[in-house]
Amino acid sequence: MSFIHLILSIATAQNCPNQYFKLNSYSFSQRFTSKLTGCSISASASSLSLPNRRNFRFLKGGQLSVVTEIDSVKGGTASTGGRFYFILPAGNEISMESPGSLFVKVQDSAGLTWLFDEKDEVSTEQNCKLKINKKISWESESTESNKEGGFYLKSCPHSVIIDSGFKKGNNAFLNKASHSKIRDSKGNQCIVSNSEIFNYVKEGKETQNIIKSTKDLHAILSKKHDCKNLDLSPMLNQSNQVTDQTQSQH
């Protein structure tokens, strides 16, 4: 590692201090993981409190991971599935705090404020259209046949949302032959192939998907006939763009 890269890494880590909070069933942690993933915030639910649960991870570039865990046998190993979003435009910075210990507030890299309260309920301070099914099962989480799924972020003001849909046991974004839904702030949507919005690179034996720059995504989506009714103008907002678009899904 060069001296300049070392200084940049130290500066980035200082902007992402290690923090830990506990609120009811959830444990929250903020830490700098690597240059690739940047600063991350995790909200992990206890299996003792919630045998069927959703865990959340916020990363740079507007990435929100919602991982469902379902315990088939009490005290046994949980089966998992995930739904992954990108909320654009987005930057690198995220933060969290616990004002008065009554709730935990997470500021994601897209500028949205997420609230986790003492009843384990999740909401946003913005007027996002968010539907959360409190009943968690594989059937309720499924997005097959155009189902909304258990954690459905339909739209947020001044944002464009990329939604991979739910997949049991894996990340739907990793399948470049599959498709994602693109939604604007009014909930209008189109469907685009993953291969058009991600670059796929080999890392050892694994393939990682790296989202294309917001500028490139805007150019691609603007030319697609099925997306012509979407308001993609928020993606041109340069004030909240990620500065290092080397981002992958995990």
Side-chain angles (χ1 to χ4, degrees), residues 10 18 28 40 57 102 133 138 160 190 216 224 226 236:
I10 292 173
N18 290 345
F28 300 83
S40 69
R57 192 180 185 203
L102 296 176
N133 190 340
W138 296 131
V160 173
C190 63
D216 288 345
K224 294 198 67 68
D226 292 344
L236 298 175

Side-chain angles (χ1 to χ4, degrees), residues 22-186:
K22 179 76 171 68
L23 182 66
N24 202 16
S25 301
Y26 277 90
S27 297
F28 300 83
S29 65
Q30 174 180 293
R31 63 192 182 95
F32 178 77
T33 49
S34 68
K35 183 182 177 182
L36 185 66
T37 56
C39 188
S40 69
I41 292 175
S42 298
S44 302
S46 166
S47 60
L48 297 177
S49 303
L50 300 172
N52 298 343
R53 55 204 175 273
R54 296 185 186 100
N55 300 321
F56 302 85
R57 192 180 185 203
F58 302 87
L59 292 160
K60 69 177 183 178
Q63 183 179 338
L64 167 61
S65 305
V66 184
V67 177
T68 301
E69 294 185 333
I70 294 181
D71 290 339
S72 55
V73 179
K74 187 175 182 180
T77 302
S79 298
T80 63
R83 188 168 189 172
F84 297 83
Y85 291 96
F86 280 91
I87 307 165
L88 303 174
N92 289 320
E93 295 184 4
I94 61 176
S95 63
M96 72 173 181
E97 59 178 329
S98 182
S101 299
L102 296 176
F103 58 91
V104 172
K105 179 185 291 188
V106 175
Q107 184 86 18
D108 73 12
S109 56
L112 299 179
T113 303
W114 296 81
L115 302 176
F116 295 78
D117 67 19
E118 69 275 10
K119 295 181 180 179
D120 293 332
E121 294 187 354
V122 184
S123 62
T124 65
E125 282 191 348
Q126 290 75 13
N127 293 321
C128 294
K129 292 185 178 179
L130 174 64
K131 292 183 181 180
I132 303 176
N133 190 340
K134 292 184 178 180
K135 179 183 178 181
I136 301 176
S137 66
W138 296 131
E139 182 179 359
S140 66
E141 298 297 278
S142 173
T143 54
E144 292 182 356
S145 303
N146 290 321
K147 292 180 181 177
E148 293 180 347
F151 189 93
Y152 179 50
L153 181 61
K154 181 178 182 179
S155 64
C156 285
H158 313 298
S159 297
V160 173
I161 292 172
I162 302 177
D163 178 5
S164 72
F166 180 82
K167 184 174 179 61
K168 185 179 178 181
N170 207 330
N171 169 6
F173 276 145
L174 289 175
N175 182 0
K176 60 182 177 181
S178 187
H179 295 77
S180 293
K181 293 180 178 179
I182 315 294
R183 292 192 289 271
D184 67 12
S185 59
K186 294 183 179 179

